[in-house]
PDB file of all heavy atoms in Angstrom:
ATOM      1  N   CYS A 250      76.636 124.312  99.858  1.00  0.00           N
ATOM      2  CA  CYS A 250      77.434 124.145 101.071  1.00  0.00           C
ATOM      3  C   CYS A 250      76.907 122.924 101.827  1.00  0.00           C
ATOM      4  O   CYS A 250      75.698 122.781 102.034  1.00  0.00           O
ATOM      5  CB  CYS A 250      77.328 125.395 101.950  1.00  0.00           C
ATOM      6  SG  CYS A 250      78.116 125.209 103.568  1.00  0.00           S
ATOM      7  N   GLU A 251      77.824 122.056 102.221  1.00  0.00           N
ATOM      8  CA  GLU A 251      77.430 120.834 102.927  1.00  0.00           C
ATOM      9  C   GLU A 251      76.823 121.130 104.293  1.00  0.00           C
ATOM     10  O   GLU A 251      76.040 120.354 104.821  1.00  0.00           O
ATOM     11  CB  GLU A 251      78.655 119.934 103.095  1.00  0.00           C
ATOM     12  CG  GLU A 251      78.360 118.556 103.606  1.00  0.00           C
ATOM     13  CD  GLU A 251      77.664 117.685 102.574  1.00  0.00           C
ATOM     14  OE1 GLU A 251      77.832 117.913 101.367  1.00  0.00           O
ATOM     15  OE2 GLU A 251      76.943 116.766 102.998  1.00  0.00           O
ATOM     16  N   HIS A 252      77.161 122.281 104.878  1.00  0.00           N
ATOM     17  CA  HIS A 252      76.678 122.600 106.219  1.00  0.00           C
ATOM     18  C   HIS A 252      75.368 123.382 106.197  1.00  0.00           C
ATOM     19  O   HIS A 252      74.411 123.006 106.872  1.00  0.00           O
ATOM     20  CB  HIS A 252      77.746 123.376 106.993  1.00  0.00           C
ATOM     21  CG  HIS A 252      77.360 123.653 108.402  1.00  0.00           C
ATOM     22  ND1 HIS A 252      77.349 122.687 109.365  1.00  0.00           N
ATOM     23  CD2 HIS A 252      76.955 124.792 108.994  1.00  0.00           C
ATOM     24  CE1 HIS A 252      76.949 123.213 110.496  1.00  0.00           C
ATOM     25  NE2 HIS A 252      76.699 124.491 110.302  1.00  0.00           N
ATOM     26  N   CYS A 253      75.323 124.480 105.406  1.00  0.00           N
ATOM     27  CA  CYS A 253      74.147 125.360 105.472  1.00  0.00           C
ATOM     28  C   CYS A 253      73.269 125.288 104.219  1.00  0.00           C
ATOM     29  O   CYS A 253      72.230 125.948 104.162  1.00  0.00           O
ATOM     30  CB  CYS A 253      74.574 126.808 105.710  1.00  0.00           C
ATOM     31  SG  CYS A 253      75.381 127.577 104.289  1.00  0.00           S
ATOM     32  N   SER A 254      73.696 124.503 103.236  1.00  0.00           N
ATOM     33  CA  SER A 254      72.946 124.304 101.988  1.00  0.00           C
ATOM     34  C   SER A 254      72.892 125.534 101.092  1.00  0.00           C
ATOM     35  O   SER A 254      72.143 125.560 100.119  1.00  0.00           O
ATOM     36  CB  SER A 254      71.514 123.812 102.268  1.00  0.00           C
ATOM     37  OG  SER A 254      71.548 122.602 102.958  1.00  0.00           O
ATOM     38  N   ARG A 255      73.650 126.548 101.387  1.00  0.00           N
ATOM     39  CA  ARG A 255      73.692 127.747 100.545  1.00  0.00           C
ATOM     40  C   ARG A 255      74.176 127.346  99.143  1.00  0.00           C
ATOM     41  O   ARG A 255      75.154 126.619  99.020  1.00  0.00           O
ATOM     42  CB  ARG A 255      74.658 128.746 101.165  1.00  0.00           C
ATOM     43  CG  ARG A 255      74.866 130.018 100.362  1.00  0.00           C
ATOM     44  CD  ARG A 255      75.888 130.912 101.016  1.00  0.00           C
ATOM     45  NE  ARG A 255      75.506 131.164 102.408  1.00  0.00           N
ATOM     46  CZ  ARG A 255      76.130 131.990 103.218  1.00  0.00           C
ATOM     47  NH1 ARG A 255      77.190 132.654 102.803  1.00  0.00           N
ATOM     48  NH2 ARG A 255      75.733 132.151 104.456  1.00  0.00           N
ATOM     49  N   LEU A 320      82.291 123.689 101.536  1.00  0.00           N
ATOM     50  CA  LEU A 320      81.792 124.591 102.577  1.00  0.00           C
ATOM     51  C   LEU A 320      81.868 126.011 102.040  1.00  0.00           C
ATOM     52  O   LEU A 320      82.896 126.412 101.459  1.00  0.00           O
ATOM     53  CB  LEU A 320      82.635 124.495 103.845  1.00  0.00           C
ATOM     54  CG  LEU A 320      82.561 123.199 104.643  1.00  0.00           C
ATOM     55  CD1 LEU A 320      83.521 123.262 105.835  1.00  0.00           C
ATOM     56  CD2 LEU A 320      81.148 122.907 105.119  1.00  0.00           C
ATOM     57  N   CYS A 321      80.791 126.787 102.226  1.00  0.00           N
ATOM     58  CA  CYS A 321      80.848 128.202 101.873  1.00  0.00           C
ATOM     59  C   CYS A 321      81.871 128.870 102.794  1.00  0.00           C
ATOM     60  O   CYS A 321      82.264 128.302 103.820  1.00  0.00           O
ATOM     61  CB  CYS A 321      79.459 128.849 102.007  1.00  0.00           C
ATOM     62  SG  CYS A 321      78.853 128.994 103.698  1.00  0.00           S
ATOM     63  N   VAL A 322      82.306 130.074 102.440  1.00  0.00           N
ATOM     64  CA  VAL A 322      83.373 130.731 103.203  1.00  0.00           C
ATOM     65  C   VAL A 322      82.982 130.935 104.670  1.00  0.00           C
ATOM     66  O   VAL A 322      83.776 130.609 105.562  1.00  0.00           O
ATOM     67  CB  VAL A 322      83.789 132.056 102.524  1.00  0.00           C
ATOM     68  CG1 VAL A 322      84.749 132.845 103.405  1.00  0.00           C
ATOM     69  CG2 VAL A 322      84.435 131.761 101.168  1.00  0.00           C
ATOM     70  N   PRO A 323      81.772 131.433 104.998  1.00  0.00           N
ATOM     71  CA  PRO A 323      81.449 131.591 106.434  1.00  0.00           C
ATOM     72  C   PRO A 323      81.461 130.254 107.195  1.00  0.00           C
ATOM     73  O   PRO A 323      81.970 130.178 108.315  1.00  0.00           O
ATOM     74  CB  PRO A 323      80.037 132.201 106.417  1.00  0.00           C
ATOM     75  CG  PRO A 323      79.936 132.873 105.090  1.00  0.00           C
ATOM     76  CD  PRO A 323      80.742 132.033 104.146  1.00  0.00           C
ATOM     77  N   CYS A 324      80.905 129.196 106.595  1.00  0.00           N
ATOM     78  CA  CYS A 324      80.905 127.889 107.273  1.00  0.00           C
ATOM     79  C   CYS A 324      82.324 127.361 107.413  1.00  0.00           C
ATOM     80  O   CYS A 324      82.694 126.794 108.444  1.00  0.00           O
ATOM     81  CB  CYS A 324      80.033 126.886 106.523  1.00  0.00           C
ATOM     82  SG  CYS A 324      78.261 127.206 106.698  1.00  0.00           S
ATOM     83  N   TYR A 325      83.149 127.536 106.365  1.00  0.00           N
ATOM     84  CA  TYR A 325      84.540 127.094 106.437  1.00  0.00           C
ATOM     85  C   TYR A 325      85.269 127.815 107.564  1.00  0.00           C
ATOM     86  O   TYR A 325      85.988 127.194 108.348  1.00  0.00           O
ATOM     87  CB  TYR A 325      85.254 127.344 105.105  1.00  0.00           C
ATOM     88  CG  TYR A 325      86.728 127.092 105.182  1.00  0.00           C
ATOM     89  CD1 TYR A 325      87.236 125.800 105.085  1.00  0.00           C
ATOM     90  CD2 TYR A 325      87.624 128.139 105.402  1.00  0.00           C
ATOM     91  CE1 TYR A 325      88.597 125.559 105.185  1.00  0.00           C
ATOM     92  CE2 TYR A 325      88.984 127.908 105.508  1.00  0.00           C
ATOM     93  CZ  TYR A 325      89.462 126.620 105.397  1.00  0.00           C
ATOM     94  OH  TYR A 325      90.807 126.387 105.515  1.00  0.00           O
ATOM     95  N   ARG A 327      84.163 129.081 110.274  1.00  0.00           N
ATOM     96  CA  ARG A 327      83.768 128.559 111.600  1.00  0.00           C
ATOM     97  C   ARG A 327      84.354 127.174 111.821  1.00  0.00           C
ATOM     98  O   ARG A 327      84.876 126.863 112.887  1.00  0.00           O
ATOM     99  CB  ARG A 327      82.240 128.505 111.714  1.00  0.00           C
ATOM    100  CG  ARG A 327      81.597 129.843 111.998  1.00  0.00           C
ATOM    101  CD  ARG A 327      80.120 129.702 112.352  1.00  0.00           C
ATOM    102  NE  ARG A 327      79.343 129.107 111.273  1.00  0.00           N
ATOM    103  CZ  ARG A 327      78.809 129.817 110.275  1.00  0.00           C
ATOM    104  NH1 ARG A 327      78.949 131.116 110.225  1.00  0.00           N
ATOM    105  NH2 ARG A 327      78.133 129.203 109.343  1.00  0.00           N
TER     106      ARG A 327
HETATM  107 ZN1   ZN B 524      77.623 127.202 104.520  1.00  0.00          ZN
END
Side-chain angles (χ1 to χ4, degrees):
C250 173
E251 189 71 26
H252 184 74
C253 71
S254 300
R255 177 183 306 186
L320 292 177
C321 69
V322 172
C324 287
Y325 172 81
R327 281 190 299 273

